[in-house]
Amino acid sequence: MKLNRSHRLIAMTHYLLAHPHTLVSLSYFVDRFQSARSSISEDISILKKEFPNSNIGSIETVAGASGGVIFRPSIAPDQALERVQALCQELTDNDRILPGGYFYLTDILGDSDHLRLIGQIIASRYREAGATAIMTIATKGVPLAQAVSMYLNIPFVMVRRDSKVTEGATVSINYASQGQSRVEKMELTKNSLGEGEKVLIIDDFLNGGGTITGMLSMTKEFNATCVGICVLAEVQNPDREVAFDYQSLMQVVKSQDNTQLVEVLPGGIFDDHD
């Protein structure tokens, strides 16, 4: 069906938003909208200018017979910081402190607006990392991984702490939990992650670092490579020693006895923000 420019722009925007990080040929739009290639090129030029202005992301053009356009979602660093600062203020409540040094985040993980924001920020930070898969651990990391996977347009795999009959054959490893005080087990379905994959590890909360250390060991079992680690929130602990580099969206600062919340601050993912 032949459409006028305004209708084409709406349809093209919808398609690109639904297919991030995917090369879309100009011929696809030419055939779909029954329009001249020059008209489609002009449409792309309009979107290429307006996407950054609307803080949606960027459009890259690839020249050549097999070329086309690639939409890369992103959020401006200043807007991301402003939104996370508002989220930090929302989380400043002593009732969120849980036994064992943990922090209540379940309501954030169930809010679609928050998840879209978190997914967009993490995807923006790691969009050049070359990740081909996301790894998280059941269950609270799942909504985060799903949000990021939608923006990066790559699959996510879910590590479990217990076996499920429906998962089939699994790879199992043991890892030291928080404080190295006990050993726990995690499992991942054998056919869920291919050899040589580049993995972005996502988790909801970083306390002692045992869970992420376990997921790093799991990637090695699959001969995969970790290209980044990001957590929604971490307990600010200058004495914590972890053998991996990571980024966090928020830092939770508590009293020395872990019973009172001092403040919630933007995390290390914003350290390079000017």
Side-chain angles (χ1 to χ4, degrees):
M1 180 177 65
K2 193 173 181 63
L3 302 176
N4 61 32
R5 170 152 289 163
S6 60
H7 289 159
R8 288 200 309 267
L9 290 173
I10 293 173
M12 291 170 71
T13 297
H14 182 270
Y15 186 87
L16 291 171
L17 291 178
H19 299 84
H21 299 282
T22 301
L23 178 63
V24 184
S25 69
L26 293 187
S27 298
Y28 171 81
F29 290 128
V30 168
D31 294 339
R32 177 174 176 179
F33 302 127
Q34 300 177 19
S35 300
R37 192 177 184 89
S38 59
S39 297
I40 296 299
S41 295
E42 290 172 2
D43 295 343
I44 294 296
S45 296
I46 294 172
L47 296 180
K48 191 173 182 179
K49 179 181 179 181
E50 291 303 320
F51 271 33
N53 292 339
S54 301
N55 212 28
I56 297 173
S58 62
I59 292 179
E60 299 176 10
T61 53
V62 180
S66 61
V69 296
I70 303 174
F71 165 57
R72 302 194 187 279
S74 64
I75 182 171
D78 55 347
Q79 185 180 16
L81 179 59
E82 181 181 346
R83 297 283 301 278
V84 169
Q85 285 173 331
L87 180 57
C88 289
Q89 186 62 36
E90 183 180 334
L91 294 176
T92 305
D93 185 348
N94 276 326
D95 290 341
R96 291 185 175 274
I97 297 179
L98 303 174
Y102 292 97
F103 191 70
Y104 182 74
L105 291 167
T106 302
D107 55 338
I108 301 301
L109 300 176
D111 184 281
S112 58
D113 288 336
H114 289 323
L115 285 175
R116 276 193 293 268
L117 171 65
I118 293 164
Q120 192 175 18
I121 293 174
I122 296 176
S124 296
R125 170 64 178 79
Y126 291 99
R127 69 176 187 167
E128 304 297 336
T132 57
I134 295 170
M135 179 183 290
T136 193
I137 189 163
T139 55
K140 292 182 180 179
V142 173
L144 292 175
Q146 186 172 25
V148 178
S149 74
M150 291 179 66
Y151 280 102
L152 290 180
N153 199 19
I154 58 177
F156 74 91
V157 299
M158 180 176 59
V159 177
R160 295 182 181 273
R161 291 189 173 90
D162 55 352
S163 300
K164 299 290 183 182
V165 175
T166 54
E167 296 295 310
T170 61
V171 174
S172 175
I173 66 164
N174 295 323
Y175 69 99
S177 65
Q178 176 188 348
Q180 314 295 311
S181 58
R182 66 181 186 274
V183 174
E184 296 190 7
K185 183 179 73 170
M186 61 172 58
E187 300 181 345
L188 182 62
T189 305
K190 277 188 175 181
N191 61 4
S192 63
L193 192 66
E195 184 172 341
E197 297 271 15
K198 295 180 179 179
V199 177
L200 172 61
I201 293 177
I202 301 290
D203 204 3
D204 65 314
F205 194 72
L206 174 61
N207 198 354
T211 301
I212 290 178
T213 299
M215 284 192 281
L216 283 169
S217 297
M218 185 65 78
T219 63
K220 294 178 182 178
E221 290 293 321
F222 282 82
N223 292 319
T225 303
C226 175
V227 296
I229 299 170
C230 192
V231 298
L232 173 58
E234 65 169 313
V235 172
Q236 191 180 75
N237 181 1
D239 298 325
R240 178 175 53 222
E241 294 184 5
V242 293
F244 51 81
D245 294 325
Y246 68 94
Q247 300 283 356
S248 64
L249 267 68
M250 296 180 289
Q251 297 182 53
V252 178
V253 185
K254 297 186 294 186
S255 60
Q256 299 224 345
D257 60 2
N258 285 338
T259 60
Q260 294 293 315
L261 178 64
V262 178
E263 57 185 336
V264 182
L265 302 170
I269 202 170
F270 300 105
D271 284 351
D272 296 330
H273 176 73
D274 294 327

